[in-house]
Amino acid sequence: NFHLRYLSYQSEFWEYVPSEEETASLDAAYAKAMENYDDVNIVPIVIGSDYERCFKDSKNVLKLLKMDLMREKNYDLERYGRFAMAYRQFVRNGGIRSMLCFMTALPSKYGGLKEDVLRRICNAILVDEALEPTDNPFVVLRTEGFEATKGRIIQRLSTGEKVFVVTTYQTVGAGQNLQYPKPESVETVRVNSFVREGPEEKDFDAVYLDRPTNILPTTFEEGEVDQLAKYLFDVGFLQAGNEITIEESREYIRAAFNRFTGIPKHPSSFMQTDSVRVGAVRDVEQAVGRMCRTNCKSPTVYVMADAGIAEFMANDISEYGTRLNREFEVIYNKLHAMASERSRSVSVGIDQASDR
């Protein structure tokens, strides 16, 4: 990977600029693809970490989160809480037959996101909603066996079954097609007049987006050469782009080598740099794109997002691209408003402190 500014200084570099006619043609094609999008009600839902208030009337879930998981790290506990709130939206809403849940790590037997804990959370929610618990309240879509699992998911959805899919940004974030044949009993709307060959397919009804992490490598184990090398490259990239100072880069490199040699100190996450913020938004935008693969949608679709993503959405939407998916625009507007409000609150606090 090369920085565009570096490439622009090379003698072989040639930038292609679309003509006015080509740009107009692209704009017209985009408008055509979006011509009936106003017929779709896109509902943005921001999910915070206030699971105690959310589940105050759900004794089974609250006991599980507060008592049974009290030994979990606070970060993991809050993540379980957000997952629970997203899953309850899926269970309670009859209009959501298909939902993608994007986490930053796949559920596993060990680690910070345990599959058995997620299963217990889901079944506690089902019981609180007077529904039968099940051995498989969700499906995990992993890289291993991806096509086989994807095929089973699509087959179940095509029969009208209600399916909740847990995956990660890295597994499904870009390029994957997860649309499925439209069940006969499901009401849909067309967002444009394009005619597709073959059986009519529809998009997922809902998506949940947990806050992306590890946009750049920040944690690696002793002796992991590849991760250390990537981290050092990223430090150099950020320094060359004037996003961190030379002094900061030296501190980050020192911390990285300490971690590499077994000293328990985590390198910096760089979350406050523009490159990382844009990278996080890229992951979110590509994930939302998984529910934007066809022109056939449910009348109402839902884009749920971790409130922590708001910190990445402070910039103007034009900085995240043009001709964006409408679903992304809607959740951006919600999160951008939150980021702007937080910024105003901080400014007021600073002004008041100055007045004293």
Side-chain angles (χ1 to χ4, degrees):
N1 294 316
F2 293 93
H3 199 291
L4 183 60
R5 188 166 65 245
Y6 167 80
L7 291 176
S8 67
Y9 290 131
Q10 308 309 303
S11 59
E12 301 89 349
F13 181 78
W14 178 68
E15 181 179 5
Y16 179 82
V17 179
S19 66
E20 291 185 5
E21 292 78 10
E22 289 170 324
T23 301
S25 177
L26 285 172
D27 290 338
Y30 176 77
K32 180 72 173 175
M34 300 288 145
E35 61 184 346
N36 297 326
Y37 240 103
D38 289 342
D39 295 339
V40 181
N41 180 29
I42 303 172
V43 180
I45 299 174
V46 176
I47 294 179
S49 299
D50 53 346
Y51 61 85
E52 291 190 45
R53 181 185 62 80
C54 181
F55 289 105
K56 66 179 186 295
D57 298 324
S58 302
K59 295 181 180 179
N60 289 317
V61 180
L62 199 57
K63 176 182 178 297
L64 178 59
L65 291 171
K66 290 194 67 176
M67 302 298 294
D68 296 5
L69 300 180
M70 62 184 303
R71 294 182 179 178
E72 298 286 341
K73 296 178 182 178
N74 190 56
Y75 169 81
D76 293 327
L77 182 57
E78 290 182 351
R79 182 165 57 175
Y80 283 130
R82 294 192 301 270
F83 174 89
M85 287 185 275
Y87 191 80
R88 188 168 75 166
Q89 291 278 353
F90 167 75
V91 170
R92 285 185 166 183
N93 194 321
I96 301 177
R97 308 297 302 175
S98 53
M99 182 164 170
L100 278 170
C101 176
F102 282 93
M103 307 299 287
T104 56
L106 285 168
S108 61
K109 188 173 182 179
Y110 306 104
L113 194 66
K114 299 179 180 66
E115 190 165 350
D116 68 310
V117 172
L118 295 182
R119 191 175 294 109
R120 289 164 59 199
I121 289 172
C122 292
N123 279 321
I125 291 171
L126 291 172
V127 170
D128 277 339
E129 298 297 320
L131 298 170
E132 287 292 323
T134 173
D135 292 336
N136 300 295
F138 55 84
V139 179
V140 180
L141 188 54
R142 311 176 187 274
T143 303
E144 300 82 7
F146 181 89
E147 290 300 329
T149 304
K150 172 184 167 182
R152 289 191 292 271
I153 292 170
I154 289 175
Q155 193 279 328
R156 290 174 60 186
L157 290 172
S158 67
T159 64
E161 192 174 342
K162 196 174 170 81
V163 182
F164 187 91
V165 180
V166 181
T167 189
T168 66
Y169 293 98
Q170 292 75 20
T171 304
V172 179
Q176 291 293 341
N177 294 319
L178 297 177
Q179 66 269 21
Y180 54 93
K182 184 185 85 67
E184 293 183 3
S185 59
V186 173
E187 179 187 0
T188 58
V189 297
R190 287 182 173 275
V191 297
N192 58 51
S193 57
F194 295 156
V195 178
R196 298 173 181 265
E197 295 182 359
E200 186 174 35
E201 295 180 319
K202 73 175 293 291
D203 286 319
F204 268 67
D205 301 323
V207 64
Y208 167 69
L209 309 155
D210 211 47
R211 180 180 180 272
T213 58
N214 294 335
I215 307 302
L216 301 182
T218 57
T219 58
F220 44 85
E221 299 304 318
E222 179 180 354
E224 286 188 346
V225 177
D226 290 345
Q227 284 294 83
L228 174 64
K230 187 177 188 311
Y231 183 87
L232 296 178
F233 175 88
D234 290 334
V235 170
F237 182 93
L238 294 172
Q239 182 190 326
N242 297 318
E243 295 189 60
I244 60 175
T245 66
I246 293 177
E247 290 75 17
E248 286 173 327
S249 71
R250 288 172 179 167
E251 178 59 32
Y252 298 153
I253 291 171
R254 185 180 300 111
F257 273 103
N258 285 341
R259 179 70 174 173
F260 180 75
T261 55
I263 300 174
K265 182 176 181 179
H266 287 288
S268 170
S269 66
F270 306 123
M271 278 301 180
Q272 299 308 311
T273 61
D274 284 340
S275 290
V276 171
R277 283 194 287 263
V278 171
V281 174
R282 172 204 61 206
D283 286 353
V284 168
E285 187 178 344
Q286 290 176 344
V288 172
R290 296 320 94 206
M291 65 183 304
C292 307
R293 310 306 289 171
T294 77
N295 65 346
C296 184
K297 297 180 177 293
S298 293
T300 301
V301 299
Y302 301 83
V303 186
M304 309 177 202
D306 178 355
I309 297 177
E311 69 175 287
F312 303 130
M313 300 288 190
N315 296 350
D316 188 86
I317 195 170
S318 62
E319 297 190 28
Y320 305 127
T322 58
R323 307 180 188 94
L324 299 167
N325 293 322
R326 194 68 60 82
E327 287 86 346
F328 174 78
E329 290 180 346
V330 168
I331 195 63
Y332 163 84
N333 289 335
K334 184 83 170 179
L335 293 168
H336 180 70
M338 289 178 58
S340 299
E341 182 59 35
R342 290 176 185 174
S343 178
R344 283 193 293 271
S345 298
V346 171
S347 297
V348 170
I350 293 173
D351 291 341
Q352 290 176 343
S354 300
D355 292 341
R356 296 193 190 102

